[in-house]
Amino acid sequence: AAKRTPNDFIFERVLGEGSFSTVYLARDIHTSKQYAIKVCEKLHIKREKKEMSIKREKEIMQLIGLYPNPFFVKLFCTFHDHSRLYFVMTYAKNGEILPYIHKVGCFDAECTKFYGGEVVLALEYLHKLGIIHRDLKPENILLDERMHILITDFGSAKMEADQERSTEGAAAVAGAGDEEAPGMRPRKNSFVGTADYVSPELLTNKPAKKSVDLWALGCLIYQLLAGLPPFRAPNEYLIFQRIVKLEYSFPDGFNPTAKDLVHKLLEKDGSKRLGCDEMGGYGPLKAHPFFEGLDWENLHTVKPPPIT
Ligand SMILES: NC(=O)Nc1ccc2c(c1)=C(Cc1cc(-c3cccc(C(=O)NCCN4CCCCC4)c3)c[nH]1)C(=O)N=2
């Protein structure tokens, strides 16, 4: 197919803005189909030395797209002009899951089981490919027109095989305050990602493994049921301190089965988190009583429970 150019699309509105990109809703003038196009300024990428990160994001999205899987935003094509890079991706009509959590306050057990289950299937697929997302959070869980999930933003993702000794996590602490957090040493690399779901190992300068995504799953399930993330504080630095000290508690009435699941995911030692290789992989996670009765094989085809 001929290489596309910006002139093949009508850019209709901004869908979201990131530190290195802006995502637009765009319509293909030949097919009238709508896409989300992520646009990055070449100069900004160069100045921030993000060329490798952008290249890795594209390669990882291409790898994900090699096998059929319903739970990810697809990368259809890329092109560039004199000053910008363009990534043409799936448009998720219903946007991020976060506003839905805020709209109803918190999800009921049935919705949490369904959406938590779809994220489990998405992580199982990613981890089978040796990909670590590293920035799973409600902002990166989009909803398509059928209200099924589409995971996005592989800007922080890594191939487990390429994961050299991580020197990125601790910088998150360095950026958050002048004094060094106990046991954390600021490094030159900058870690991209918000505080809420960052795992202890990413904060204490250990290599990121697939289990960092299982920690984030634990934070997500907590937040879906409680309406707020488990580690909360007035600033990022204090959130990091709570994370490394495993300082969190459950609101009264929190679903007891989900509480057991969250406890088994928010394990400080990544090799003890339900779902990791050392704990027998995804079988034991999918068999957890909280997911009892979930039709794992057909989850992406069933009608999602209404968010009320
Ligand atoms: N970093 C990235 O790669 N980011 C990406 C990548 C791909 C992508 C992406 C981001 C998308 C973002 C997006 C944002 C939105 C969106 C933005 C603003 C408002 C809405 C919206 O109103 N949705 C309707 C649902 N509302 C939501 C809140 C409750 C009431 C109903 C959607 C739709 N899709 C997208 O569709 N596809």
Side-chain angles (χ1 to χ4, degrees), residues 69-130:
N69 183 286
F71 296 122
F72 298 91
V73 156
K74 259 183 82 63
L75 175 64
F76 292 97
C77 68
T78 61
F79 51 85
H80 63 97
D81 61 17
H82 169 68
S83 56
R84 295 178 199 89
L85 305 173
Y86 299 82
F87 292 66
V88 180
M89 296 183 279
T90 312
Y91 170 47
K93 196 168 177 307
N94 282 306
E96 300 170 6
I97 200 167
L98 193 63
Y100 286 87
I101 305 172
H102 295 154
K103 185 182 164 197
V104 296
C106 59
F107 282 15
D108 60 22
E110 195 192 0
C111 277
T112 302
K113 190 160 124 177
F114 176 82
Y115 285 107
E118 289 212 320
V119 172
V120 166
L121 290 175
L123 289 181
E124 181 180 34
Y125 177 84
L126 266 194
H127 292 170
K128 227 177 251 172
L129 290 175

Side-chain angles (χ1 to χ4, degrees), residues 13-16 21 23 36 38 57 61 73 89-96 99-100 103 140 142 152-154:
R13 70 181 173 102
V14 173
L15 290 174
S21 61
V23 180
K38 177 151 60 170
E57 178 177 0
M61 289 196 82
V73 156
M89 296 183 279
T90 312
Y91 170 47
K93 196 168 177 307
N94 282 306
E96 300 170 6
Y100 286 87
K103 185 182 164 197
N140 290 336
L142 305 179
T152 191
D153 196 347
F154 290 87

